[in-house]
Amino acid sequence: MGAKLFTAAVTAVGAFRTRSSRRRSFSSSTNTGRKPRIASPKKLTTPSISNPKDVEKGDTVDGIEWADEQNQVLAQVRCGSSVFITGSAGSGKTLLLQHIIGVLEQVHGPQKVFVTASTGVAACAIRGQTLHSFAAIGFGKADRDTLVDRVLLNKSATKRWKKVKALVIDEVSMVDAEMFENLEFIARQVKSSNKVWGGIQLVVSGDFFQLPPITSQYGKQFAFEADCWDASFDAQVELKKIFRQSDPRLIKLLDGMRKGKGDSEDLEVLKQSCLLSEPDSSVVRLYPRIEDVKRVNNERMESLGEQVFMYKAIDGGIDGFKRGIVADQLEICRGARVMLIKNLDTKSQLCNGATGTVAGFFLAKQNSSLGEYLPLVRFDSGIQMIIEPERWEIVEGGKVVAWREQIPLILAWALSVHKCQGMTLDTLHTDLSRAFGYGMVYVALSRVRSLEGLSLSGFNPFKIKAHPKVVHFYEQLGSHKLLKDDEADDRMKEVCADC
Ligand SMILES: Nc1ncnc2c1ncn2[C@@H]1O[C@H](COP(=O)(O)OP(=O)(O)OP(=O)(O)O)[C@@H](O)[C@H]1O
């Protein structure tokens, strides 16, 4: 990087589907423009349950009024059901999951609840670990018995598998069928149980129309193709209400993109979002490839010719902090476009995904763990704030096993589509002609709140595509029901007996 490097861091471093019969034992073994003001950071904000009555009531927590369908999921989880939560981008799956984790911790005790996601970025958002790291089966391919041996030879992994009563898996669209089947098999073996998943209460969330697993296009690909998929859940729930967007035109357009079949009206709306000239640099550009993201961010930083401040993350804990969105080494300068990667104060819109510009660097009032100087960011909302180091934790069975301290910012002239999965953005630009693979256009476009914030280039309707297997899966999902009350009661008794 051409700019002078200044090290400020102390480098110490809706539709419900329910199985009509009860969850059964499973024994398959086949391997198959406002006045700026300075705000001070606040600690936030996973919706937490401080009063068990809130859980019972289940309708309002921390100012969130749960939709009926979200409340129904909460009721299912509370009564011990294993649930698959799905729905369009922005239908509140992650927010609900954050709340569900608290519910599960009350039901089973925090030590027996394990929170995971298919990617580090998604895991970070729910204070969990990656599914691979939880499972301790490595990345290499192996037959199931070898995988079970790997777990049994690893003391802490065996303890984890034996202890787990509730397992949360977020962004399941990126978990492949073989992995899902393998984990189910391991659960039964390690827990010496012939119940599906060894009796673990499973809460799985994701939208299969979004990014798919990286796996061969042949044979089984998606987790829902796993032999044990249907047997794994008491209810499969599709959330229908969209919270991220409010414009009915955009909601309809995104629904069409999701299913890979925008109509002529949708395509016309998209064409109107196409720009003839480059958008201004405050608009976040989304790229399918990380090389483009790095190139654009580096070029923009260099062009500013400002002194660069570097913040090296401080890591701790018994387990290494697995890479997520939090930078190992953050390099920023005055004028840099940045994005918050943590909720600091949602009421003031200082939340994950908020963008702004670095206005300068100021001496920290108190000793900062990351250096003397801290960045002052002028957010696009008009708020200015000195950004202090934040801490991310990986919690395993109620215990913090790894943590990282870092300034909660990343460069934001450009972002990858993979990293932005789960985010909400006010403005974005993307070149549709560069998209590859299923779900990519949908994930990119569904980040934006409004049509006014969307700008496109390289319009190409052929890039809008949904996987036929996914389309089929959701068609089937439409026509099912919730657990009946007596079934739910039985299930609750079963879970309590297990506890
Ligand atoms: N009941 C609710 N009331 C108000 N806002 C909500 C509610 N549920 C979710 N939201 C808001 O909707 C937005 C999208 O929610 P969330 O990120 O959980 O959706 P998602 O389904 O996980 O999306 P994606 O699939 O894109 O990750 C967030 O800003 C969230 O705070």
Side-chain angles (χ1 to χ4, degrees), residues 48-52 54 106:
S48 58
I49 309 147
S50 48
N51 179 352
D54 289 340
Q106 287 198 334

Side-chain angles (χ1 to χ4, degrees), residues 243-311:
F243 293 96
R244 184 172 291 134
Q245 295 87 14
S246 56
D247 181 344
R249 281 179 310 159
L250 181 55
I251 292 176
K252 175 179 170 294
L253 165 83
L254 292 176
D255 192 52
M257 301 294 108
R258 182 169 184 254
K259 293 166 185 155
K261 53 173 190 191
D263 63 20
S264 56
E265 194 181 68
D266 297 334
L267 297 181
E268 196 47 45
V269 174
L270 274 186
K271 274 189 200 152
Q272 282 166 14
S273 298
C274 287
L275 288 183
L276 295 174
S277 56
E278 277 280 291
D280 83 65
S281 64
S282 68
V283 176
V284 181
R285 283 163 167 73
L286 298 185
Y287 292 95
R289 294 176 205 281
I290 192 75
E291 307 84 69
D292 290 323
V293 173
K294 285 187 180 154
R295 178 182 52 76
V296 171
N297 282 333
N298 286 342
E299 282 172 6
R300 294 285 164 99
M301 276 266 279
E302 279 186 27
S303 73
L304 292 175
E306 293 278 348
Q307 194 173 44
V308 173
F309 285 66
M310 185 185 84
Y311 299 91

